[in-house]
Amino acid sequence: MTDPSPHPAHLDERDPAKADVRDIREEADRELEHYQAQGRKDLVLLIPEDRWDEFVQLTGGQASGDETTYREVTFKKAAVTAVIAQDGF
């Protein structure tokens, strides 16, 4: 008998390198460390809108509108699907 359940016809959109990420704060930490290792200055990272409240709560930050500071870096709430640098958007 064949399996009647549908199988995805598309690739998983999540980055396999982030498969073990526990939460949005850890994802942001990894992105932040990646960009800092490249010597990036004046970095602004974008956080997915649907994960914004979780991020602010986990980091203990105080949001000012759609922005917060975490680890001396500005994070902005944005219509993105993953944590990314603003200039790469």
Side-chain angles (χ1 to χ4, degrees):
M1 182 174 217
T2 60
D3 181 7
S5 60
H7 297 282
H10 62 281
L11 297 174
D12 184 1
E13 294 179 4
R14 288 191 47 91
D15 183 346
K18 297 178 185 173
D20 63 337
V21 171
R22 293 181 307 241
D23 56 41
I24 191 67
R25 183 206 46 83
E26 187 173 336
E27 183 177 341
D29 284 338
R30 289 187 186 187
E31 290 296 318
L32 182 55
E33 289 162 8
H34 169 77
Y35 288 114
Q36 287 178 333
Q38 294 178 348
R40 298 282 302 268
K41 304 288 184 208
D42 300 324
L43 186 61
V44 175
L45 292 177
L46 304 177
I47 298 288
E49 292 172 319
D50 62 337
R51 308 287 306 275
W52 178 252
D53 292 336
E54 176 189 4
F55 178 75
V56 172
Q57 180 182 17
L58 288 171
T59 60
Q62 294 293 323
S64 176
D66 290 344
E67 290 187 9
T68 190
T69 301
Y70 171 62
R71 293 179 54 186
E72 300 179 13
V73 172
T74 298
F75 286 82
K76 292 183 178 182
K77 178 176 162 180
V80 295
T81 58
V83 180
I84 60 169
Q86 180 172 296
D87 63 1
F89 187 73

